[in-house]
Amino acid sequence: MFARVVLLVMRKDLTIEVRSREILYTTLFFAVSCVLVFAFAFVREGEPLGDAAAGILWIAIAFAGTLALGRAFERERHAETLRALMLAPAARPAIYVGKLLGILALLFATELIIVPLVALLFAAPFFSRPLLLAGLLVSGTIGFAAVGTLFAAMLVRARSRDVLLPVLLYPITIPVIIAGVRGTAALVQPVVDPAIIVMLISLLVAFDVVFLTLSLWTFEPLMTE
Amino acid sequence: MRKFFAPLLVLAILLMVVAPVLIAEAPYEATMGLIQKIFYFHVPSAMMMMLSVFICGIWSIIFLLKKRPAADHVAVTAGELAVVFGLFVLVTGPLWARIAWGVWWTWDVRLTSYFLLWMIFVGYLLVRKYGGPGSDKLSAAMAIFGMANVPFVYVSVDIWRTMHPKTTVVTTLGEGMAIPFWFCVFAFLVVYSLVFVSRLRLEEQRARVEQLFLEASDI
């Protein structure tokens, strides 16, 4: 039953998205513009500064992620469909997981484009260790989206939600972004030390576990009116 | 709450008058000299902030689960005090760092994570103020996630190499420093309790006025 609800909610979100492709296109465009803006700040005389690529990548992901989160729930607010979802005889945590998986699918799709783009534009050897890179991206994105989905869902009913989402989300997820940036920066060093990256991935996984547990646990009382 | 106010006020004034004397009499630290004495206010402030964070987090959990407004009043009081005492820490820290390290601020793990924790609670207050209806629940979630970040802040100094003195420095103080230090911790605790009960009462009064207003507008 739990898995069925999760799949149904996710399928609903993805179907809407596949039909309109609104979030994917706007998020992707926004992420690319972010990269462009940073290119002006961190490139001197045609050469990118040291570890800039790692930072640019994660900031682009975080900003684009915020945009996607906001949009995904704005859609639910429009026709009061979130209320309908909450009224459905389904476990609240299952609804949360379904929304989370939908957001994650979108973010991973964005990363599929953004990561090679940043690697190409900033001559960063991201793909020297594809498995470690994937580990960082997956664990980092899950941590970010876990908190993001919870807060975006809570904020649906709040006033000035567009402003409050980043206000709530960034301070709490910055540890995730820091670990992600550090890990990615270690990945582009001339000599890669896998031990550091594995340590950061395990830190990210620890964050994921804490954030997911807390989110699953607080989603129900938070979404009850 | 009211009956605690007067005795706490008297005690707080007394302690805060004696504290500077004790600090002045404490021995000078060998390498840092005078500037080290800021530590007697810096560390207790940090302790009070941590206490606040936990009170805010735990009472937010109680509020979310039991839906009692009284728990929310405690949480918002603690949330505000966390920001205030955190600000003390963030002001006294750079004053010390300017002399000891030669810079006001460095992006050290400890400093960064502490700053983050403080930001989370500033965010907590922002949500409360601008979140509109239902912001009490929103901010409760923020507080719980903020509390979840504390272990990472606390452990960060011991895991990563950092310039900030380790937390074990407190337990290894010589007697000359330990007495004024723990005196200051106690003084801060009393001041903290004083502000806490006053602010809590204010919050309860505010909630009552709101309640009365709602009842009156129903008629």
Side-chain angles (χ1 to χ4, degrees), chain B residues 129-206:
Chain B
K129 189 139 175 59
Y130 302 112
S135 61
D136 42 357
K137 275 187 190 167
L138 276 171
S139 52
M142 185 84 180
I144 294 170
F145 277 89
M147 188 171 68
N149 263 333
V150 170
F152 294 103
V153 173
Y154 198 77
V155 187
S156 64
V157 234
D158 303 318
I159 294 183
W160 278 286
R161 265 172 295 139
T162 154
M163 288 161 79
H164 189 280
K166 288 196 174 183
T167 41
T168 48
V169 80
V170 168
T171 49
T172 54
L173 286 175
E175 200 178 295
M177 288 184 181
I179 293 170
F181 173 73
W182 289 108
F183 184 88
C184 283
V185 172
F186 180 66
F188 265 78
L189 196 62
V190 172
V191 172
Y192 180 84
S193 317
L194 174 74
V195 185
F196 196 96
V197 291
S198 321
R199 179 65 183 88
L200 184 57
R201 192 171 138 75
L202 178 64
E203 184 63 25
E204 282 163 359
Q205 306 280 56
R206 196 197 53 73

Side-chain angles (χ1 to χ4, degrees), chain A residues 147 150-151 154-155 158-160 164 167-168 171-172 174-175 199 203 207 210-211 214-215 217-218 221-222 224, chain B residues 61 64-65 67 112 116 119-120 123 126-127 129-133 137-138 141-142 144-146 148-149 152 160:
Chain A
V147 188
L150 176 74
F151 283 168
M154 288 176 354
L155 282 168
R159 237 193 306 138
S160 59
L164 285 178
V167 165
L168 291 170
I172 287 177
I174 279 179
M199 192 273 277
L203 183 75
F207 271 122
V210 173
F211 285 167
L214 276 179
S215 303
W217 183 63
T218 50
L222 280 172
T224 315
Chain B
I61 294 175
L64 272 192
L65 294 183
K67 314 234 163 19
T112 313
L116 260 177
M119 287 284 288
I120 291 177
L126 284 176
V127 176
K129 189 139 175 59
Y130 302 112
K137 275 187 190 167
L138 276 171
M142 185 84 180
I144 294 170
F145 277 89
N149 263 333
F152 294 103
W160 278 286

